Amino acid sequence: MDKGKHYEVKDMSLAPQGYKNLELAELNMGALLKVRERFAKEKPLKDIRIGLALHVTKETAILVRTLIAGGAEVAITGCNPLSTQDDVAAALADEGVKVWAYKGETKEDYYRYINKVIEFKPHITIDDGCDLVSEIHKNHKELIPEIICGCEETTTGIIRLKAMEKDNALKYPMIAVNDNMTKHLVDNYYGTGQSTLDGILRATNVLLAGKNFVVTGYGSCGKGVAKRAQALGANVIVTEVDQFRALQAAYDGYRVMRMEDASRIGDIYCTVTGNKHVIRLEHVKNMKNGSILCNSGHFDNEIEIPALEKAAESKREVRNSMDEYIVDGKKIFILGEGRLVNLAAAEGHPSEVMSTSFCGQALACEYGVQNRGRMENKVLQLPVELDDEISGLQLTAMGIEIDELTQEQKDYLDSWEEGT
């Protein structure tokens, strides 16, 4: 480990490669660069301390640069022990950013680094998964009066925050960036779909064509994973607990069944629910020899790993990010330790996808500062106009022009008298 006054990273000699990756990310993040350009002129975040617990990837580094351009002081750590890109962490440290992160963090280091960000006394928190917010609410309540708001970017985090709100435990406003259309209908759908399959293929090099591919959860992430698995020739099976989503999956052409039944015929399993133990030991015991299990939900508890560890006759690493468990004489493979397979075994979402998500984060910070003291301690959404602005920025970055309503069309939409 390399340590300095403002950082703790794996290896500072990786910084040159990190800078190259940041260059590549910026080439594909035109929308966010437009926000950064405006922020650099207007300084909407001047004197604001922003603490981040995000995946420390090349795309996140461009968000960090954007916030700094807006006048903010930034401190960042990871939000998952296996998701940090060590060359990017080194590059951020080299730029003078406060950063504590490395790939393969111990649980002790993970929470020590979160507390490093908390010691920074942020005015705004940015989370993937709500661990930073949770730690502040549990152990650092004295900081809450000075916190303007927080931003949360994952479905899992929003689930936790809404539970906090329901229990009257949420003590500062949280902006649900995840609920932007330009996030959950882009990042979750296109990003998770592509990056999850990328992680599976890097970890296994398995042929997907002809395999029974079980997707557990059919929200935006599950829809994206299912579509891309199908595109590679897999026979997709969906398991769900929500009746409407199960109906959607059936209408989309997938087989829908209980996990009890799917576990007997699947070859590859991917969980994307944001819930706990959706694949349990009882299901694993049903599975075929050679079954592959992975998770693309935020936390590593979707697959019941502790029970599997206890029941396994043996365990060994057979490839990078691929562990073999022998259960009842059968080989069961777990990818990325049951953590986010798209980041544990691959590089996360493509830069274009993260550009719109991080526009949401940057504009949410600006919105929070503009509305300081006027927001309730609830899970809030950004105004639809800001979400629409992000879409426009991305269309411009892609060189796409669209039509505008004529005055006659505007008048027609605003009227009720003209009919058949």
Side-chain angles (χ1 to χ4, degrees):
M1 295 298 296
D2 280 343
K3 302 178 183 180
K5 187 176 180 181
H6 66 277
Y7 67 86
E8 188 168 323
V9 299
K10 179 83 56 111
D11 184 355
M12 285 298 291
S13 71
L14 298 174
Q17 181 58 51
Y19 282 122
K20 291 175 187 174
N21 278 323
L22 299 192
E23 277 185 52
L24 290 172
E26 286 193 341
L27 277 175
N28 295 301
M29 299 183 79
L32 185 59
L33 295 189
K34 278 294 181 184
V35 173
R36 187 168 83 187
E37 185 180 311
R38 178 174 68 78
F39 274 20
K41 293 175 184 175
E42 299 176 7
K43 302 293 181 185
L45 305 175
K46 188 175 185 295
D47 299 325
I48 299 296
R49 293 189 299 274
I50 302 179
L52 299 86
L54 296 181
H55 304 296
V56 184
T57 65
K58 60 187 185 299
E59 293 78 20
T60 304
I62 309 308
L63 171 64
V64 168
R65 287 177 170 178
T66 301
L67 299 174
I68 291 170
E73 189 178 354
V74 173
I76 181 170
T77 186
C79 62
N80 188 288
L82 291 178
S83 65
T84 293
Q85 294 168 1
D86 288 318
D87 59 337
V88 170
L92 286 173
D94 190 62
E95 286 189 347
V97 175
K98 295 176 176 64
V99 54
W100 301 276
Y102 66 90
K103 184 161 186 169
E105 290 169 8
T106 64
K107 187 171 183 178
E108 292 72 24
D109 280 346
Y110 178 79
Y111 279 100
R112 181 165 64 88
Y113 292 165
I114 282 180
N115 278 279
K116 285 281 190 183
V117 172
I118 291 171
E119 289 169 15
F120 172 67
K121 297 183 178 178
H123 299 115
I124 294 174
T125 61
I126 298 182
D127 255 294
D128 263 17
C130 199
D131 278 347
L132 178 58
V133 168
S134 180
E135 187 70 12
I136 288 171
H137 277 75
K138 288 177 181 176
N139 300 314
H140 300 276
K141 294 183 176 70
E142 72 281 0
L143 299 182
I144 290 175
E146 297 301 314
I147 296 178
I148 298 168
C149 67
C151 310
E152 172 56 56
E153 196 177 18
T154 66
T155 303
T156 300
I158 298 302
I159 290 169
R160 297 178 76 188
L161 288 169
K162 286 184 176 177
M164 290 176 71
E165 181 184 322
K166 183 180 177 183
D167 289 346
N168 294 315
L170 186 60
K171 300 304 179 185
Y172 62 84
M174 290 296 305
I175 299 172
V177 173
N178 182 74
D179 292 352
N180 292 354
M181 288 188 296
T182 48
K183 199 284 177 181
H184 75 275
L185 295 180
V186 177
D187 178 314
N188 295 18
Y189 183 68
Y190 298 103
T192 304
Q194 179 168 319
S195 62
T196 296
L197 271 292
D198 184 20
I200 293 170
L201 294 175
R202 290 197 202 195
T204 65
N205 196 34
V206 72
L207 179 70
L208 279 132
K211 297 290 194 304
N212 288 336
F213 192 107
V214 180
V215 178
T216 301
Y218 202 64
S220 296
C221 294
K223 290 180 175 74
V225 172
K227 184 172 184 179
R228 276 140 195 84
Q230 183 185 50
L232 286 170
N235 304 308
V236 175
I237 297 166
V238 172
T239 70
E240 250 297 350
V241 295
D242 182 280
Q243 295 183 116
F244 178 70
R245 286 180 176 174
L247 183 63
Q248 279 185 306
Y251 283 162
D252 285 342
Y254 305 125
R255 297 170 68 188
V256 179
M257 62 185 71
R258 300 177 308 154
M259 178 55 74
E260 171 71 20
D261 300 314
S263 63
R264 300 179 189 280
I265 60 174
D267 298 300
I268 301 170
Y269 299 80
C270 182
T271 58
V272 273
T273 68
N275 211 331
K276 184 178 182 179
H277 294 172
V278 293
I279 293 182
R280 298 182 292 279
L281 182 61
E282 65 200 74
H283 302 132
V284 173
K285 285 178 173 288
N286 290 338
M287 291 178 183
K288 295 191 285 188
N289 183 48
S291 293
I292 296 168
L293 283 68
C294 68
N295 166 56
S296 216
H298 186 78
F299 290 124
D300 63 344
N301 60 2
E302 298 208 20
I303 302 169
E304 194 182 16
I305 301 288
L308 179 59
E309 295 266 2
K310 190 174 180 181
E313 297 150 36
S314 65
K315 173 189 174 183
R316 62 173 179 155
E317 184 180 59
V318 292
R319 284 170 59 97
N320 187 36
S321 300
M322 186 177 187
D323 293 328
E324 173 198 272
Y325 291 79
I326 304 297
V327 180
D328 294 344
K330 296 179 293 187
K331 293 184 177 183
I332 304 293
F333 298 102
I334 302 288
L335 307 185
E337 300 178 12
R339 298 187 184 278
L340 281 160
V341 71
N342 57 340
L343 282 151
E347 297 178 60
H349 296 353
S351 299
E352 294 95 330
V353 165
M354 294 312 302
S355 184
T356 53
S357 294
F358 286 156
C359 281
Q361 293 283 30
L363 295 180
C365 291
E366 180 183 39
Y367 178 83
V369 171
Q370 290 170 342
N371 292 276
R372 185 174 192 167
R374 296 197 296 273
M375 297 177 289
E376 294 183 83
N377 295 339
K378 292 184 176 180
V379 180
L380 310 170
Q381 278 190 255
L382 280 179
V384 68
E385 294 80 12
L386 286 179
D387 205 358
D388 196 48
E389 178 186 336
I390 296 167
S391 296
L393 289 169
Q394 183 61 22
L395 286 169
T396 300
M398 296 168 70
I400 296 172
E401 295 182 356
I402 64 172
D403 288 321
E404 294 183 9
L405 292 171
T406 65
Q407 189 57 52
E408 180 186 30
Q409 290 168 338
K410 291 177 183 177
D411 292 342
Y412 179 75
L413 292 175
D414 287 337
S415 69
W416 57 271
E417 293 177 328
E418 187 174 342
T420 305

